[in-house]
Amino acid sequence: MQRLLVALLAAFDAVIAAAVGLAVLLAPLTLLWTLAFGATADWGALWPLTGTLWGFGHGVPLDVTIPSELLVALAIPSAAANFIVSVTPLAFLLFTVLFAARSGARAAKAGAWLLGSLSGSAVFAIIAAGVALSSRLEAVQTSLPLAIILPSAVYLTGAVCGAVRIAWEDGDGGLLDRVHDIVDTWGDWTPVPAAIVRGTAFAVMGVTAAAAAAVALMTLFRGGEVVALFQASRVDALGATVMTLGQFAYLPTLIVWAASWIAGPGFAVGVGTAVSPAGTQLGVVPGIPILGLLPENSSIWMLIVVLIPIAAGAVAGWAVRSRLVWEGTPLTTLPRAVIAVGIGVVVAGVAAVAAVLVHGSMGPGRLVEIGPAPVPFALALGGEVLLGAAILLLSPRHRDELAEERTDRWNAEMAGVPTVDWATIDRAPEIAQTDAAGSTDDTAPLDDLGRFTVQDPSDQRD
């Protein structure tokens, strides 16, 4: 009954996650639809647009076809009538991942992490299939298999990651416990997998924080350019609201671009363009207000920012090394080197996945190439984090660390020695008076100095 309840609760979580994501799109679109078209609005197109954008937020590319009458009205070249939009607004994807991780963690605490993860992901896949089948647009097409697979994969990834994090620590009485038992037989290599995950988390969070700070600083220094582009767009309040909401959805995407800039390779905002610390080469940039944050030029001296990922790797190495010392498991050089390499490789994998999601096309012509290239970004960030982690993990141990090690070892040895209850000894005279007043407990007599003595069983007589 408990496993059935876990499966039902996980399925309910998946329904809530999908409903909230759709509602976040549907509510403002309904308001904008009403303000733009009034009572004569074609409400039949509202849901298909919502479902299409929801799939797009989970990585599903859009194949846009501009109608011929609109081409003539706006004097758009026929070559630009069809294009693909594939740069994902990561805000929706991150919401689904976090919600799924929370659901997976609850299933793990209930002792059925695998069932909960699979149940929630299956329900989310059914919802994604229903949304994809019921939200077909003529002007904006999506691949039906991708519209089902990608949202389901996003939810499954979040659920499994959240569940495994809890189940690995608390145990699950099944698969993970068996894997944990196998890892425990590795001797000095036992802490290596957990140390790699811990170091990766510190490194990714450090780089993400630095990238977010860079975006905030650019907003502070170049906010005027953003306002100027808003004014140049000459849109009314409704159009400005739509543009603002869309740019908020792309804010995490912009943070990944900033992370690629900090790592060194930078990113593109069109064919033949580059924005990196080594130099900035921009042609005609689309008049999207948020692109006003792009630096107009840069200097070779700005390559000093690559020290930030190295510092993030160093922090990761320090966190891992401190945890190993605290646990009393100082490792030899080879396991620590493997941990450093593992951190760099996993960070590179995370960077590659993020770059794939935020790199692609945003329109016709020069806009077919936007965002950071996955391979250079992954190699640069992984290598820099590896360098920082290796500096901390492979450096000689300081005498303070060795002293802490000896102290931990001494504490561990003393933990097996019987302890003395000093509070009881201080109350010895009081206990002795109680015994003299008629206590029947004579198993611990006192000597002349009021101290407890233990008689040898061989001295006792019948």
Side-chain angles (χ1 to χ4, degrees), residues 316-342:
W318 169 81
V320 169
R321 186 164 178 166
S322 299
R323 183 62 175 263
L324 292 175
V325 172
W326 181 78
E327 292 177 346
T329 56
L331 301 179
T332 58
T333 302
L334 184 57
R336 285 185 285 159
V338 171
I339 292 174
V341 173

Side-chain angles (χ1 to χ4, degrees), residues 106-407:
R106 282 205 300 264
K109 292 177 181 178
W113 69 270
L114 184 58
L115 176 63
S117 300
L118 294 179
S119 173
S121 300
V123 172
F124 200 84
I126 294 173
I127 295 173
V131 171
L133 290 172
S134 62
S135 58
R136 311 298 292 177
L137 290 173
E138 294 183 2
V140 182
Q141 297 289 329
T142 57
S143 170
L144 183 59
L146 290 180
I148 299 173
I149 294 173
L150 290 182
S152 307
V154 169
Y155 191 92
L156 179 61
T157 300
V160 170
C161 290
V164 170
R165 183 184 66 85
I166 299 298
W168 183 263
E169 297 176 356
D170 299 343
D172 67 336
L175 176 62
L176 287 181
D177 278 350
R178 289 194 292 270
V179 174
H180 208 299
D181 292 339
I182 293 174
V183 173
D184 287 341
T185 63
W186 291 357
D188 288 345
W189 295 89
T190 297
V192 170
I196 291 175
V197 173
R198 179 180 177 82
T200 299
F202 271 89
V204 170
M205 291 302 296
V207 173
T208 303
V215 174
L217 286 175
M218 293 304 296
T219 304
L220 179 63
F221 293 130
R222 295 188 58 83
E225 296 293 333
V226 176
V227 174
L229 287 174
F230 260 114
Q231 295 173 344
S233 62
R234 297 184 180 278
V235 295
D236 55 9
L238 181 62
T241 302
V242 173
M243 293 176 63
T244 302
L245 293 176
Q247 290 173 125
F248 271 121
Y250 272 99
L251 185 58
T253 302
L254 199 64
I255 290 176
V256 178
W257 291 10
S260 181
W261 186 86
I262 290 173
F267 55 91
V269 286
V271 177
T273 64
V275 181
S276 70
T280 298
Q281 182 179 356
L282 294 175
V284 179
V285 179
I288 302 174
I290 199 171
L291 295 182
L293 300 179
L294 299 179
E296 296 180 353
N297 49 54
S298 58
S299 169
I300 192 67
W301 294 102
M302 296 188 72
L303 281 173
I304 195 173
V305 296
V306 300
L307 293 177
I308 295 176
I310 296 176
V315 171
W318 169 81
V320 169
R321 186 164 178 166
S322 299
R323 183 62 175 263
L324 292 175
V325 172
W326 181 78
E327 292 177 346
T329 56
L331 301 179
T332 58
T333 302
L334 184 57
R336 285 185 285 159
V338 171
I339 292 174
V341 173
I343 292 173
V345 170
V346 179
V347 167
V350 173
V353 172
V356 167
L357 292 172
V358 302
H359 173 268
S361 172
M362 289 193 72
R366 297 175 64 247
L367 297 181
V368 296
E369 185 179 345
I370 298 288
V375 174
F377 178 34
L379 292 179
L381 186 60
E384 290 157 4
V385 169
L386 169 60
L387 177 60
I391 292 174
L392 265 291
L393 284 171
L394 301 181
S395 59
R397 288 184 288 177
H398 192 267
R399 61 177 178 271
D400 293 339
E401 184 178 340
L402 294 174
E404 184 178 355
E405 224 175 87
R406 289 193 295 269
T407 302

